[in-house]
């Protein structure tokens, strides 16, 4: 479906609302021109989540899904290859979703803790089924690699904690994979410091990495374009220090959740 509005107004679809003060819902009604809306390459109608911990703190391999916006409980999707809990990075190109890294156990829902897991899994979002091996994270971005960013083509993993409990073995590596294919991660530059437990956004051309810990919680926001070999650049600061936060984004705006570090202690 063509976007006649953009052709006539010579304004980028993402900027039409800013200029015309009209939303996607009423541009076509008022202009009487066909309007397909702006598509986001990394956002769809189904949300899929994987891993976690139960009340006994046993790591899980569960994958669940639900329709975005629906008032309903999550439904079983399948299983990851291995049991992994928190701090995986994740991304999607709508057709395929994937997860990488995390904190794992050596076997089943019990066993010795494995820090710096390098496993990656992918699924076809529109169907259900178990995760399939994608490859391995190449640079050790594992437990604490909460910085997962996607533009619908690439998934970037930022930082992490590849050591053992109580050891500040943080890393400044970034790596990327091409979501539509399979294979190991590739070096993608570096963060400004060795950082774990940060939060990161998706985007069309740029992603943000915010907060996290270098041994103490920090308030730094930095950014990078979805290129494959560039270091981050300073963006600004959060209103307070934060670690183990979360992030959500549209193609225009990012919202960063910054919990109190005392309530979100580093594992």
């Amino acid at each position: 479906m063509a976007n006649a509005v953009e052709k006539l107004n010579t304004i980028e679809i993402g900027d039409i609302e800013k200029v015309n003060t009209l939303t996607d819902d009423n541009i076509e009604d008022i202009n009487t021109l066909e309007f397909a809306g702006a598509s986001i390459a990394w956002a769809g109608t189904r949300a899929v989540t994987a891993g976690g911990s139960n009340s006994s703190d046993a790591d899980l391999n569960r994958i669940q899904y639900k329709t975005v916006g629906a008032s309903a409980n999550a439904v079983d999707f399948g299983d990851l290859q291995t049991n992994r809990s928190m701090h995986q990075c994740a991304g999607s190109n709508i057709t395929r979703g994937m997860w990488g890294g995390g904190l794992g156990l050596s076997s089943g829902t019990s066993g010795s803790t494995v820090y710096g897991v390098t496993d990656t899994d992918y699924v076809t979002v529109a169907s259900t089924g178990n995760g399939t091996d994608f490859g391995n994270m190449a640079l050790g971005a594992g437990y604490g690699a909460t910085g997962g960013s996607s533009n619908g083509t690439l998934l970037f993993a930022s930082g992490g904690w590849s050591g053992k409990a109580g050891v500040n073995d943080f890393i400044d590596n970034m790596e990327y994979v091409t979501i539509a294919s399979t294979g190991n991660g590739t070096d993608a530059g570096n963060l400004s410091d060795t950082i774990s437990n940060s939060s990161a956004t998706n985007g069309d051309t740029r992603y943000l990495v915010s907060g996290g810990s270098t041994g103490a919680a920090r308030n730094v926001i930095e950014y990078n374009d979805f290129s494959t070999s560039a270091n981050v650049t300073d963006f600004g600061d959060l209103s307070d220090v934060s670690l183990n936060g979360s992030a959500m984004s549209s193609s225009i705006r990012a919202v960063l959740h910054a919990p109190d570090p005392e309530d979100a202690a580093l594992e």
Side-chain angles (χ1 to χ4, degrees):
M1 184 182 296
N3 272 314
V5 172
E6 181 172 337
K7 294 177 181 178
L8 180 65
N9 288 351
T10 65
I11 300 171
E12 293 289 337
I13 290 298
D15 293 329
I16 285 179
E17 182 175 340
K18 297 177 185 178
V19 176
N20 286 353
T21 66
L22 302 173
T23 67
D24 286 7
D25 295 331
N26 57 28
I27 287 175
E28 184 170 336
D29 293 339
I30 295 176
N31 286 352
T32 66
L33 298 172
E34 184 179 20
F35 180 65
S39 62
I40 299 177
W42 40 269
T45 58
R46 173 178 283 190
V48 186
T49 183
S53 295
N54 62 19
S55 58
S56 63
D57 202 29
D59 296 328
L60 301 176
N61 63 353
R62 183 182 302 165
I63 307 174
Q64 302 178 78
Y65 76 95
K66 65 168 294 180
T67 301
V68 175
S71 298
N73 295 334
V75 179
D76 184 62
F77 188 101
D79 296 322
L80 294 170
Q81 301 173 85
T82 54
N83 292 298
R84 302 203 298 280
S85 67
M86 49 198 143
H87 307 311
Q88 300 181 70
C89 62
S92 169
N93 65 359
I94 297 182
T95 301
R96 172 181 286 185
M98 63 172 296
W99 300 269
L103 175 69
L105 292 177
S106 58
S107 62
T109 56
S110 64
S112 59
T113 301
V114 179
Y115 291 86
V117 172
T118 60
D119 293 339
T120 57
D121 297 67
Y122 75 92
V123 297
T124 300
V125 175
S127 63
T128 58
N130 295 336
T132 301
D133 183 48
F134 187 95
N136 292 309
M137 302 184 75
L139 302 173
Y143 174 49
T146 50
S149 303
S150 174
N151 67 344
T153 301
L154 304 175
L155 169 63
F156 278 72
S158 304
W161 189 12
S162 58
K164 297 181 179 180
V167 178
N168 292 336
D169 188 14
F170 302 151
I171 57 179
D172 65 355
N173 298 327
M174 295 190 296
E175 59 183 282
Y176 75 94
V177 296
T178 301
I179 298 172
S181 62
T182 58
N184 297 335
T186 300
D187 186 14
N190 298 99
L191 297 166
S192 62
D193 203 343
T194 53
I195 300 165
S196 181
N197 297 71
S198 62
S199 58
T201 66
N202 299 315
D204 293 334
T205 59
R206 171 181 290 184
Y207 62 93
L208 304 177
V209 180
S210 65
S213 175
T214 59
R218 66 182 205 141
N219 67 345
V220 177
I221 307 173
E222 45 204 8
Y223 76 92
N224 196 17
D225 294 332
F226 282 100
S227 59
T228 55
S229 59
N231 297 336
V232 295
T233 302
D234 183 64
F235 184 92
D237 295 321
L238 296 169
S239 59
D240 200 350
V241 296
S242 173
L243 62 87
N244 283 339
S246 57
M248 62 190 76
S249 54
S250 69
S251 59
I252 299 172
R253 172 177 290 184
V255 178
L256 307 173
H257 169 230
D260 187 327
E262 293 184 359
D263 297 328
L266 188 65
E267 295 290 336

